[in-house]
Structures are given as C-alpha cells and as structure tokens.
Amino acid sequence: MRRHLSNIWRLGIKELWSLWRDPVMLVLIAYTFTVSVYTAGTAMPETLHQAPIAILDEDASPLSARIAAAFYAPQFVAQHLQSPAEMDAAMDAGSITFALAIPPGLQRDVLAGRSAELQLNVDATRMSQAFSGSGYVQQIVLGQVTEFVQRHRTGTALPVDLALRARFNPGLQQMWFGALMQIINNVTLLSIILTGAALIREREHGTIEHLLVMPVTPTEIMLAKVWAMGLVVLLAAWTALQLVVRTLLQVPVEGSIPLFLTGAALCLFATTAMGIWLATLARSMPQFGLLMVLIMLPLQMLSGSMTPRESMPALVQNVMLLAPTTHFVELAQAILYRGAGLDVVWKPFACLLVIGSALFGLSLHRFRKTIAQMA
C-alpha cells in the first residue's frame, strides 16, 4: 500500500510540473477563474443597469416632474431634453436607449378622467436592455400616475395587500448569481480540459510509453492525474471565491467554504475521470475539443446553473440526475446562497460519490484497454 501511495504521489507531482511548464494552460486557468468570473458577474445581459433614458417634459406639471424623477440609478441614467429634435438626434446617435416624451396637458387629462398618451421610443438594437427596460418604464409610469391620482381622488382600497420579501438576495442583484455560477461551471469545464489534455499530451509526446515500462499500474496513473488536476482546479476555485467574488465584487457568501470545497472535490473526482474517458476516445486535441462541446453544453445548460431544473421537461430532469454537475449545482447553491449544512446537502454529496465512482470505473476500464492496444 505504501508503494502504491508513493507512486500516485510522485506521478501527481510529475503532472503538476508538466502543467507548470505549459504557459497556455496556466493562462487559461488564470483567465477562467479571474476575468471570466468578473465579467459573468458584472455583464449579465438581462440585467438593467445604468440604462440611458432621455425625458422630454412638455407638460411641466407636478405629475410629469414626478414621473421624470422616478428614473434614477442604478437602473437608469436620466437626462432631460428641451425639444423633440434633441430627442431624435440622441436616439439616432445611439447615446440613449429609451426616450420618454411627456405631452402637454398630461396632468389635466389624467385628473379629468380623459385618455392620455405618453410616447416611449426604444433603441431595439440594444436588445437585452430594450426587452427588459420597456417593461420597467411602463411599470414606473403607471405606478407614478396611479399614486398621483389616488392622492386627488378617493380610491377603493384593495382587500389584499401583497408584501414582497426577497430572501438570500434582497436587492435582486444579478451579480450575486452570475459570479458564483460561473465558478461552478468553470470547475467542471477546466477539470475536464486539464485531465484530458494531460493524457493526450503524453500520448502525442510519447511519454505514455515510458510509463508503460515503469512499475506502475493504470489505476495509479489515473489517480495521479485525478488528484493533481483536481487540486489545481480546487485551489483556483477557492482563490476566485475569495479574491474575485468576496473581495472585488463584494458578493456575500452565506455558507461554509470548507463544506463547499468538499462538494467541489467530489465533483472533481467525477469530472476528472470524465476528462480521462474523453481523452481515451479522442486521437488528438482537436477531436477532444469537439467532444468537449458535445459534453459541456448539456452539462452546463441542463444542470440548473442557468435555468431552474423544475422548468425543464420531466425527461430531461430525470436524465440529468446521472450528471455530476446537477448535484454539484444543487449543493453549491444551497451552501453558498442559503447557508445550508451537511444535514441538508448530504444527498447531493452521496450522489456525487456514487456517480464519481461509476465514472472512474468506466474510465479506468477504457484506459486499460487503450494502454493494452499501445503495448
């Protein structure tokens, strides 16, 4: 047993030295867990943030002033214009996304019960802001008009008052979701790339033949790659969580970091084995990249990191229970967002252990078969 552990340790150190001499992989790791995480947290396309809106107030009434004052940061950056020509010029120049024109006599018509119309021009080339922002503008205008009318007329109070309480993310900030989910997705992505690339690199350089004449077993070779590449990804994920998410983006983490890293280690056990299995199927790095596309898209899009699994078809939900990323996303969200303990997330932990063992056994069988063909 001591000899087996020594072989696994020394082979793992060899993998780390090989990675250290590969500047492309080092740059990929640094980018994946720094710039990629930061941009995912600050550039969510569906988030309405600092959207430029121009307001043309031709009514100059308390109601129009109330409407104009309702557009403020961080959702909007408002600027007031003096004429329709300025509004058209700003829209044509692309300096504004929304242009709200308040016609003269708006307050008079509203208080008299007559129909009143406001014009909202939208630059639809900025599709993400235009889609979400149009609804925001309509809600703000209607809300301000309703409140203004209720102060001048006797309205009937509604029998139900809905009180909204947002837990775990009271400000509904997309940054909190995007940054953490990017780390979770990158753990899967990078672990598969590193282990698969390490095996293909050895086969292309001929160093795998050197291992075949050494007193080591395929199990020891696989375990060395798993712990070495898994350790690199785990350290990178912890660094991104501490420096980028908590320090730079100021995103609060509610739960236990060691518990999350334990779950990440179980996920890495499964995904690194998957990377070795894909490397045994591919004959070159381009083929490995194509296989990665087929595997990573379902793993990331259907695991619950982008959309809730409950909104997916029942067949997809059941099939994705076999994927390690599904259970990793579940435990990561529970720990990092809701502060869950082991008594809550023990089921995903157990599922990851079972799935990882199965994938490791499958990869080991395929790896032995590949080595036998090369011998």
Side-chain angles (χ1 to χ4, degrees):
M1 177 60 68
R2 181 178 299 176
R3 182 176 62 85
H4 290 305
L5 293 177
S6 177
N7 289 340
I8 294 172
W9 170 258
R10 295 180 184 276
L11 288 173
I13 297 298
K14 178 191 73 68
E15 296 293 337
L16 294 177
W17 276 112
S18 178
L19 179 63
W20 180 254
R21 296 188 183 97
D22 192 339
V24 175
M25 284 297 179
L26 294 178
V27 171
L28 176 63
I29 295 172
Y31 172 84
T32 302
F33 285 99
T34 54
V35 179
S36 177
V37 175
Y38 181 82
T39 55
T42 57
M44 294 294 287
E46 67 270 17
T47 303
L48 190 68
H49 183 71
Q50 300 290 334
I53 181 172
I55 301 173
L56 177 61
D57 186 2
E58 297 183 307
D59 190 30
S61 64
L63 175 58
S64 63
R66 184 188 183 101
I67 294 174
F71 296 96
Y72 48 81
Q75 285 81 17
F76 294 95
V77 175
Q79 53 179 303
H80 298 272
L81 304 179
Q82 303 298 324
S83 66
E86 292 184 10
M87 183 178 68
D88 293 338
M91 183 67 70
D92 293 339
S95 59
I96 58 174
T97 305
F98 306 97
L100 180 64
I102 304 176
L106 173 67
Q107 178 174 309
R108 181 186 64 246
D109 294 338
V110 168
L111 294 179
R114 293 191 295 267
S115 177
E117 293 183 355
L118 285 79
Q119 185 182 47
L120 176 64
N121 299 324
V122 182
D123 183 0
T125 59
R126 302 175 178 180
M127 188 178 64
S128 59
Q129 280 194 345
F131 180 77
S132 58
S134 298
Y136 272 80
V137 174
Q138 294 180 45
Q139 292 178 6
I140 290 173
V141 171
L142 293 177
Q144 294 300 323
V145 171
T146 301
E147 291 183 8
F148 183 82
V149 171
Q150 287 178 350
R151 297 178 65 177
H152 289 78
R153 297 180 185 171
T154 302
T156 303
L158 296 177
V160 177
D161 182 19
L162 177 63
L164 176 62
R165 298 290 186 269
R167 296 191 62 187
F168 312 118
N169 186 3
L172 301 178
Q173 300 183 40
Q174 290 285 351
M175 181 188 299
W176 292 17
F177 180 82
L180 290 175
M181 285 301 100
Q182 187 69 15
I183 291 180
I184 294 171
N185 289 332
N186 288 345
V187 165
T188 304
L189 174 66
L190 205 60
S191 60
I192 296 178
I193 290 178
L194 290 180
T195 50
L199 181 57
I200 292 178
R201 183 171 55 243
E202 284 186 340
R203 194 166 57 200
E204 291 178 344
H205 295 171
T207 54
I208 190 69
E209 284 82 359
H210 297 168
L211 293 177
L212 296 179
V213 298
M214 294 177 62
V216 294
T217 64
T219 304
E220 294 172 352
I221 297 175
M222 271 196 61
L223 285 175
K225 295 183 182 299
V226 167
W227 83 256
M229 299 299 102
L231 178 63
V232 171
V233 177
L234 201 64
L235 290 176
W238 177 82
T239 303
L241 193 61
Q242 297 292 344
L243 297 183
V244 180
V245 175
R246 303 184 75 174
T247 303
L248 188 60
L249 297 178
Q250 296 294 313
V251 177
V253 176
E254 297 295 334
S256 169
I257 300 299
L259 185 61
F260 165 73
L261 294 178
T262 303
L266 287 175
C267 181
L268 288 169
F269 176 58
T271 53
T272 49
M274 187 185 301
I276 293 176
W277 180 70
L278 292 177
T280 59
L281 296 178
R283 297 182 179 179
S284 62
M285 283 299 295
Q287 289 187 1
F288 179 72
L290 292 176
L291 289 176
M292 279 283 299
V293 173
L294 297 177
I295 296 296
M296 287 306 304
L297 285 178
L299 287 181
Q300 292 190 350
M301 297 184 66
L302 304 178
S303 62
S305 62
M306 296 185 178
T307 56
R309 293 184 61 249
E310 292 76 14
S311 62
M312 302 177 188
L315 177 61
V316 175
Q317 296 185 40
N318 295 331
V319 171
M320 287 304 295
L321 289 176
L322 301 175
T325 51
T326 301
H327 307 284
F328 181 44
V329 169
E330 180 183 351
L331 69 88
Q333 290 181 346
I335 295 172
L336 298 178
Y337 291 142
R338 299 186 288 274
L342 186 60
D343 57 328
V344 176
V345 297
W346 69 269
K347 288 184 179 180
F349 272 67
C351 292
L352 280 177
L353 182 60
V354 172
I355 294 174
S357 301
L359 286 174
F360 185 84
L362 178 64
S363 301
L364 181 59
H365 173 74
R366 177 70 188 179
F367 185 56
R368 283 173 174 169
K369 184 177 179 180
T370 303
I371 289 180
Q373 293 175 352
M374 297 176 58

